[in-house]
Amino acid sequence: MGSTVLSDLATEIVVPVCAVIGIVFSLIQWFLVSRIKVSPDRHSSSSNNGKGAGYGDYLIEEEEGLNDHNVVVKCAEIQNAISEGATSFLFTEYQYVGVFMVAFAILIFLFLGSVKGFSTKSQACTYNPQEMCKPALATAIFSTVSFTLGAVTSVVSGFLGMKIATYANARTTLEARKGVGKAFIVAFRSGAVMGFMLAANGLLVLYIAINLFKLYYGDDWEGLFEAITGYGLGGSSMALFGRVGGGIYTKAADVGADLVGKVERNIPEDDPRNPAVSNIIT
């Protein structure tokens, strides 16, 4: 046997610590984004002393002597409308996703449990017949539980991702008035919140699930990892729904924005003057 990079004890420490660091880092990025207020208050340099990612920089409207209150208020109204529509869509989608999750969890239990006739007796391991592994019924139960955990983790991550995106879009727009660099920083930090939160949550939940399952399986690593594979299946299944449903939702919003721009303002398709279109970016 070759030498391992980390010992078992070091791995038990490093994995949860990395997950916690990822969560803390994402919260810090969210806090920095939240400092940008979507309100009629002016971003004066006196309140920030010109420190920190350009929060105290003068805006173009301020330099030209224009009133930027209406811009901020309108931006806040658009964000609220987008957030309300996105939340409504998610709740509707998750109703159907919940039905699929319950139905698929039942199928997993029935299929895995019926392999050995829902046996409650220990059986010879597949890869090492000299050793005894946990019964098929236990594998069916734990696989169903891990599938549900993965599905819930994916659903929660998708919901947080949508809320963070709608939370940051108006703030990115407001920072864009100071320059492309400021807008990029806000957009990058907002994406980091979702990216690190998703990876850290998945890693932490998986770590906890493996250690809880290990209390029952003990040295039966074959049964343990056969049961824990349901976690990836659950997460992937919910992500598939989010991918397909989200794509349909965003395309409908894009087409609707184009039509509204043409009808109300006679704006051509994908014109940059229409802030609701997305094809100019993609």
Side-chain angles (χ1 to χ4, degrees), residues 173-212:
T173 302
L174 293 177
E175 286 296 283
R177 299 177 299 165
K178 302 175 183 177
V180 177
K182 304 298 191 326
F184 174 80
I185 291 175
V186 177
F188 187 84
R189 283 173 173 167
S190 303
V193 173
M194 174 56 185
F196 279 89
M197 185 69 74
L198 171 60
N201 281 339
L203 181 62
L204 185 61
V205 174
L206 183 60
Y207 171 82
I208 294 174
I210 290 177
N211 281 276
L212 290 178

